[in-house]
mmCIF file of all heavy atoms in Angstrom:
data_model
loop_
_atom_site.group_PDB
_atom_site.id
_atom_site.type_symbol
_atom_site.label_atom_id
_atom_site.label_comp_id
_atom_site.label_asym_id
_atom_site.label_seq_id
_atom_site.Cartn_x
_atom_site.Cartn_y
_atom_site.Cartn_z
ATOM 1 N N TYR S 45 -3.429 -9.721 -25.909
ATOM 2 C CA TYR S 45 -2.530 -10.079 -24.872
ATOM 3 C C TYR S 45 -1.733 -8.870 -24.415
ATOM 4 O O TYR S 45 -1.536 -8.584 -23.226
ATOM 5 C CB TYR S 45 -1.536 -11.177 -25.291
ATOM 6 C CG TYR S 45 -0.613 -11.639 -24.295
ATOM 7 C CD1 TYR S 45 -0.875 -12.658 -23.412
ATOM 8 C CD2 TYR S 45 0.700 -11.009 -24.121
ATOM 9 C CE1 TYR S 45 0.029 -12.978 -22.432
ATOM 10 C CE2 TYR S 45 1.545 -11.359 -23.201
ATOM 11 C CZ TYR S 45 1.245 -12.365 -22.317
ATOM 12 O OH TYR S 45 2.127 -12.784 -21.357
ATOM 13 N N LEU S 48 -3.848 -6.614 -22.296
ATOM 14 C CA LEU S 48 -3.949 -7.182 -20.991
ATOM 15 C C LEU S 48 -2.727 -6.885 -20.074
ATOM 16 O O LEU S 48 -2.842 -6.538 -18.934
ATOM 17 C CB LEU S 48 -4.189 -8.668 -21.001
ATOM 18 C CG LEU S 48 -5.556 -9.190 -21.386
ATOM 19 C CD1 LEU S 48 -5.536 -10.738 -21.469
ATOM 20 C CD2 LEU S 48 -6.588 -8.761 -20.352
ATOM 21 N N GLU S 49 -1.544 -7.012 -20.672
ATOM 22 C CA GLU S 49 -0.260 -6.675 -19.917
ATOM 23 C C GLU S 49 -0.347 -5.197 -19.568
ATOM 24 O O GLU S 49 0.033 -4.907 -18.363
ATOM 25 C CB GLU S 49 0.900 -6.914 -20.938
ATOM 26 C CG GLU S 49 1.232 -8.395 -21.005
ATOM 27 C CD GLU S 49 2.636 -8.543 -21.669
ATOM 28 O OE1 GLU S 49 2.864 -7.802 -22.686
ATOM 29 O OE2 GLU S 49 3.383 -9.349 -21.146
ATOM 30 N N VAL S 52 -2.714 -4.845 -16.607
ATOM 31 C CA VAL S 52 -2.206 -5.428 -15.345
ATOM 32 C C VAL S 52 -1.098 -4.513 -14.792
ATOM 33 O O VAL S 52 -1.030 -4.276 -13.560
ATOM 34 C CB VAL S 52 -1.710 -6.869 -15.643
ATOM 35 C CG1 VAL S 52 -0.785 -7.341 -14.481
ATOM 36 C CG2 VAL S 52 -2.807 -7.771 -15.909
ATOM 37 N N ALA S 195 0.522 -13.178 -11.855
ATOM 38 C CA ALA S 195 0.427 -12.699 -13.266
ATOM 39 C C ALA S 195 1.827 -12.364 -13.789
ATOM 40 O O ALA S 195 2.072 -12.712 -14.991
ATOM 41 C CB ALA S 195 -0.468 -11.410 -13.273
ATOM 42 N N ALA S 198 3.357 -15.636 -14.782
ATOM 43 C CA ALA S 198 2.783 -16.248 -15.968
ATOM 44 C C ALA S 198 3.326 -15.527 -17.249
ATOM 45 O O ALA S 198 3.565 -16.128 -18.244
ATOM 46 C CB ALA S 198 1.242 -16.101 -15.863
ATOM 47 N N ARG S 199 3.459 -14.138 -17.129
ATOM 48 C CA ARG S 199 3.987 -13.425 -18.206
ATOM 49 C C ARG S 199 5.484 -13.758 -18.543
ATOM 50 O O ARG S 199 5.882 -13.814 -19.694
ATOM 51 C CB ARG S 199 3.877 -11.958 -17.960
ATOM 52 C CG ARG S 199 2.391 -11.474 -17.960
ATOM 53 C CD ARG S 199 2.308 -10.085 -17.330
ATOM 54 N NE ARG S 199 3.044 -9.053 -18.030
ATOM 55 C CZ ARG S 199 3.067 -7.762 -17.690
ATOM 56 N NH1 ARG S 199 2.316 -7.400 -16.637
ATOM 57 N NH2 ARG S 199 3.727 -6.892 -18.372
ATOM 58 N N THR S 256 0.704 -18.849 -23.181
ATOM 59 C CA THR S 256 -0.018 -17.581 -23.479
ATOM 60 C C THR S 256 -1.422 -17.638 -22.928
ATOM 61 O O THR S 256 -1.970 -16.713 -22.298
ATOM 62 C CB THR S 256 -0.024 -17.311 -24.982
ATOM 63 O OG1 THR S 256 1.328 -17.205 -25.458
ATOM 64 C CG2 THR S 256 -0.732 -15.965 -25.250
ATOM 65 N N GLU S 258 -2.534 -19.570 -20.609
ATOM 66 C CA GLU S 258 -2.516 -19.596 -19.099
ATOM 67 C C GLU S 258 -2.307 -18.128 -18.560
ATOM 68 O O GLU S 258 -3.004 -17.706 -17.626
ATOM 69 C CB GLU S 258 -1.332 -20.471 -18.665
ATOM 70 C CG GLU S 258 -1.086 -20.472 -17.178
ATOM 71 C CD GLU S 258 -2.314 -21.043 -16.329
ATOM 72 O OE1 GLU S 258 -3.089 -21.767 -16.933
ATOM 73 O OE2 GLU S 258 -2.325 -20.717 -15.119
ATOM 74 N N ALA S 259 -1.455 -17.361 -19.159
ATOM 75 C CA ALA S 259 -1.183 -15.960 -18.745
ATOM 76 C C ALA S 259 -2.420 -15.159 -18.929
ATOM 77 O O ALA S 259 -2.749 -14.342 -18.121
ATOM 78 C CB ALA S 259 -0.008 -15.424 -19.490
ATOM 79 N N VAL S 260 -3.125 -15.315 -20.031
ATOM 80 C CA VAL S 260 -4.298 -14.580 -20.337
ATOM 81 C C VAL S 260 -5.360 -14.831 -19.238
ATOM 82 O O VAL S 260 -6.016 -13.967 -18.706
ATOM 83 C CB VAL S 260 -4.934 -14.961 -21.718
ATOM 84 C CG1 VAL S 260 -6.376 -14.405 -21.855
ATOM 85 C CG2 VAL S 260 -3.997 -14.334 -22.838
ATOM 86 N N SER S 261 -5.548 -16.155 -18.850
ATOM 87 C CA SER S 261 -6.486 -16.543 -17.858
ATOM 88 C C SER S 261 -6.123 -15.911 -16.508
ATOM 89 O O SER S 261 -6.961 -15.351 -15.836
ATOM 90 C CB SER S 261 -6.457 -18.098 -17.698
ATOM 91 O OG SER S 261 -7.336 -18.431 -16.657
ATOM 92 N N VAL S 262 -4.784 -15.902 -16.145
ATOM 93 C CA VAL S 262 -4.386 -15.355 -14.820
ATOM 94 C C VAL S 262 -4.560 -13.879 -14.875
ATOM 95 O O VAL S 262 -5.070 -13.286 -13.863
ATOM 96 C CB VAL S 262 -2.909 -15.692 -14.617
ATOM 97 C CG1 VAL S 262 -2.422 -14.959 -13.384
ATOM 98 C CG2 VAL S 262 -2.717 -17.218 -14.361
ATOM 99 N N MET S 263 -4.234 -13.157 -15.936
ATOM 100 C CA MET S 263 -4.316 -11.735 -15.959
ATOM 101 C C MET S 263 -5.805 -11.260 -15.946
ATOM 102 O O MET S 263 -6.149 -10.335 -15.291
ATOM 103 C CB MET S 263 -3.653 -11.161 -17.202
ATOM 104 C CG MET S 263 -2.134 -11.198 -17.118
ATOM 105 S SD MET S 263 -1.282 -10.239 -18.436
ATOM 106 C CE MET S 263 -1.640 -11.291 -19.844
ATOM 107 N N LYS S 264 -6.699 -11.978 -16.692
ATOM 108 C CA LYS S 264 -8.030 -11.693 -16.585
ATOM 109 C C LYS S 264 -8.640 -11.857 -15.286
ATOM 110 O O LYS S 264 -9.485 -11.050 -14.744
ATOM 111 C CB LYS S 264 -8.905 -12.485 -17.656
ATOM 112 C CG LYS S 264 -8.710 -12.056 -19.100
ATOM 113 C CD LYS S 264 -9.591 -12.930 -20.034
ATOM 114 C CE LYS S 264 -9.494 -12.318 -21.428
ATOM 115 N NZ LYS S 264 -10.414 -13.188 -22.392
ATOM 116 N N ASN S 265 -8.216 -12.885 -14.565
ATOM 117 C CA ASN S 265 -8.701 -13.139 -13.189
ATOM 118 C C ASN S 265 -8.284 -12.019 -12.248
ATOM 119 O O ASN S 265 -9.114 -11.534 -11.446
ATOM 120 C CB ASN S 265 -8.112 -14.501 -12.625
ATOM 121 C CG ASN S 265 -8.614 -14.784 -11.281
ATOM 122 O OD1 ASN S 265 -9.856 -14.987 -11.016
ATOM 123 N ND2 ASN S 265 -7.708 -14.754 -10.277
ATOM 124 N N VAL S 266 -7.015 -11.545 -12.402
ATOM 125 C CA VAL S 266 -6.566 -10.468 -11.576
ATOM 126 C C VAL S 266 -7.366 -9.154 -11.852
ATOM 127 O O VAL S 266 -7.675 -8.432 -10.955
ATOM 128 C CB VAL S 266 -5.077 -10.197 -11.789
ATOM 129 C CG1 VAL S 266 -4.629 -8.922 -11.050
ATOM 130 C CG2 VAL S 266 -4.268 -11.396 -11.294
ATOM 131 N N LEU S 267 -7.625 -8.975 -13.143
ATOM 132 C CA LEU S 267 -8.362 -7.674 -13.542
ATOM 133 C C LEU S 267 -9.837 -7.740 -13.188
ATOM 134 O O LEU S 267 -10.394 -6.692 -12.888
ATOM 135 C CB LEU S 267 -8.154 -7.507 -14.995
ATOM 136 C CG LEU S 267 -6.742 -7.096 -15.491
ATOM 137 C CD1 LEU S 267 -6.657 -7.225 -16.992
ATOM 138 C CD2 LEU S 267 -6.292 -5.715 -15.065
ATOM 139 N N ASP S 268 -10.390 -8.892 -13.248
ATOM 140 C CA ASP S 268 -11.879 -9.020 -13.109
ATOM 141 C C ASP S 268 -12.371 -9.236 -11.635
ATOM 142 O O ASP S 268 -13.502 -9.052 -11.304
ATOM 143 C CB ASP S 268 -12.434 -10.094 -13.946
ATOM 144 C CG ASP S 268 -12.294 -9.875 -15.437
ATOM 145 O OD1 ASP S 268 -12.030 -8.682 -15.800
ATOM 146 O OD2 ASP S 268 -12.325 -10.822 -16.180
#
Side-chain angles (χ1 to χ4, degrees):
Y45 179 89
L48 283 174
E49 284 193 314
V52 168
R199 290 166 62 180
T256 301
E258 174 66 19
V260 167
S261 176
V262 172
M263 287 192 288
K264 283 185 175 180
N265 181 65
V266 172
L267 292 167
D268 294 342

